[in-house]
Amino acid sequence: MDILEGMALMERGTLDSGYYLVGERQFWAKRWLDGVRRRFLGEGWADGYVTLEAVAQWGELDLALRTTGFFSQRRIVVAKDAAWPKREDSLQSYLSHADPEALLIIWDKKGSAALSKIFGPHRQIDLKPLAPAVFRKFVGQEAKKRQVRLTADGVEMLGEMLTHEEQQILYELDKMALYDPTRTWDEQAVGEFASPLPHDTQLWRLTDPLAQRQGPQVLKQAQDLLKEGKAPLLIFIVAVRHLIQLNRAMAARQRGQSLQDFAGQEGLKEFPAKKLWQYSQYWSAEDLSKLLGRAAFIDRALKTGYGDPETWVVSYLALLGRS
């Protein structure tokens, strides 16, 4: 089945004892795995979710499937690119009498015809790029969630500019929702808005000092950018987006996720992902929560024209030195 069918199964269908993921689409793999984890494990997912890399013997996987956690009797075991002698035999044997309190997921970047036969079409999920019509439906659904109005040609433009990278498209939709929730985004509006922000190196001057909590340096950069004519709202969007990424990096580290997996799920290259990973250690969950909560208030003020935009942005960034 394709990934959208897999998502529908995860949300509303009856889960089976094992699944075979095939492909390299990290975005969809994470969405599906997170959904399965919430549904199968509920609140006790922390110690019931196990990821194994390059398993070389069945015994290692079998032990993980049969070991319960302190808080969760159920467990999900994800084996990535696992290869051991007589893999097909051991998996077929296990699936024929699988533990009802365990869910086994084999994830191969390149599929195996033998495993496809063992799991069958109802238990194989292909992580392939979305077909054009399905992709347009995905963008439309995500825009609607954010109350962003996109025309059909706006959807096409967004896909072309970001080479159909789903995570990057979600970032752009988030920024559109922040920037102007009343606008209808057509091809021209998307083209003018979506491309300058990632490539405007001047705007991104404040992200490193922000991530390192260098309050005075952040204020200086923000004031310099304002003097250069950068819009207060754009500076605000860049700062908040970076705080959101820091928050995600911190949460990923706390879950025991690897840097490589984090980079994949965020759609980032290794170097910027590594910086976020390192800088997130300067922050606490409480501090980031306060700043992001305050951002929601300032966002409303900027959109409604309440107060001076430059004052709002400067005062918000000044909070970094006191959080």
Side-chain angles (χ1 to χ4, degrees):
M1 68 182 80
D2 65 33
I3 185 57
L4 291 190
E5 291 173 326
M7 293 296 293
L9 170 70
M10 172 271 295
E11 292 168 357
R12 298 181 293 276
T14 301
L15 292 177
D16 214 315
S17 55
Y19 288 93
Y20 186 35
L21 298 187
V22 180
E24 301 186 42
R25 306 293 287 184
Q26 294 276 350
F27 173 85
W28 286 111
K30 180 180 184 300
R31 273 207 165 187
W32 189 80
L33 289 169
D34 283 351
V36 167
R37 180 166 57 187
R38 286 192 298 270
R39 182 167 174 197
F40 192 74
L41 299 179
E43 295 301 321
W45 66 265
D47 73 334
Y49 186 85
V50 179
T51 300
L52 302 175
E53 302 270 358
V55 176
Q57 55 183 355
W58 166 248
E60 180 183 355
L61 187 53
D62 187 45
L63 179 63
L65 286 164
R66 300 182 191 284
T67 302
T68 59
F70 289 108
F71 303 104
S72 174
Q73 293 301 305
R74 285 186 156 192
R75 55 255 179 233
I76 294 176
V77 181
V78 182
K80 296 182 179 180
D81 295 316
W84 63 86
K86 298 183 178 180
R87 183 170 73 151
E88 294 79 7
D89 293 343
S90 49
L91 286 173
Q92 189 159 31
S93 175
Y94 172 77
L95 291 171
S96 66
H97 58 276
D99 186 335
E101 297 301 309
L103 198 161
L104 169 63
I105 298 167
I106 302 294
W107 182 3
D108 286 348
K109 291 179 181 177
K110 295 184 178 180
S112 157
L115 286 197
S116 294
K117 185 176 181 180
I118 290 170
F119 281 89
H122 64 293
R123 294 192 295 193
Q124 176 171 323
I125 298 173
D126 295 313
L127 303 172
K128 296 178 179 178
L130 299 181
V134 179
F135 176 80
R136 288 192 291 271
K137 181 180 178 182
F138 160 74
V139 176
Q141 288 173 340
E142 294 297 330
K144 187 175 181 180
K145 289 178 186 177
R146 294 160 175 79
Q147 297 183 320
V148 172
R149 290 181 291 183
L150 271 174
T151 65
D153 59 2
V155 171
E156 293 289 350
M157 172 62 78
L158 198 58
E160 289 176 13
M161 289 175 63
L162 299 174
T163 61
H164 289 235
E165 286 294 331
E166 290 90 350
Q167 187 61 62
Q168 291 297 328
I169 283 168
L170 297 191
Y171 286 149
E172 293 302 327
L173 290 174
D174 287 340
K175 288 190 291 187
M176 290 176 189
L178 265 176
Y179 187 75
D180 186 355
T182 65
R183 177 183 295 193
T184 296
W185 298 85
D186 59 14
E187 182 179 6
Q188 181 178 351
V190 170
E192 291 174 350
F193 178 83
S195 57
L197 280 179
H199 303 292
D200 190 337
T201 56
Q202 300 303 313
L203 275 170
W204 295 97
R205 284 189 335 229
L206 58 78
T207 54
D208 273 3
L210 184 152
Q212 297 176 69
R213 307 190 71 167
Q214 298 174 354
Q217 183 66 13
V218 173
L219 277 179
K220 180 182 182 304
Q221 292 293 350
Q223 289 166 340
D224 287 347
L225 288 167
L226 288 168
K227 289 177 184 176
E228 293 166 16
K230 301 299 181 186
L233 183 54
L234 294 186
I235 296 172
F236 176 72
I237 290 170
V238 169
V240 173
R241 180 179 184 271
H242 209 60
L243 290 171
I244 290 170
Q245 286 186 311
L246 285 165
N247 194 40
R248 288 173 176 162
M250 182 178 61
R253 285 195 302 103
Q254 291 173 345
R255 290 196 301 269
Q257 193 172 349
S258 70
L259 171 60
Q260 291 72 25
D261 280 353
F262 169 71
Q265 79 178 39
E266 293 295 310
L268 295 169
K269 293 183 179 178
E270 183 178 352
F271 180 67
K274 187 175 182 180
K275 287 205 298 184
L276 285 166
W277 196 260
Q278 293 172 338
Y279 293 158
S280 66
Q281 299 176 67
Y282 293 115
W283 296 85
S284 71
E286 182 181 5
D287 288 343
L288 284 170
S289 177
K290 287 179 180 178
L291 283 168
L292 292 173
R294 182 66 176 172
F297 172 81
I298 294 174
D299 174 46
R300 288 194 295 273
L302 291 171
K303 287 175 181 174
T304 57
Y306 176 73
D308 176 62
E310 291 192 11
T311 302
W312 277 124
V313 172
V314 171
S315 63
Y316 177 70
L317 295 176
L319 292 174
L320 288 170
R322 300 196 296 272
S323 61

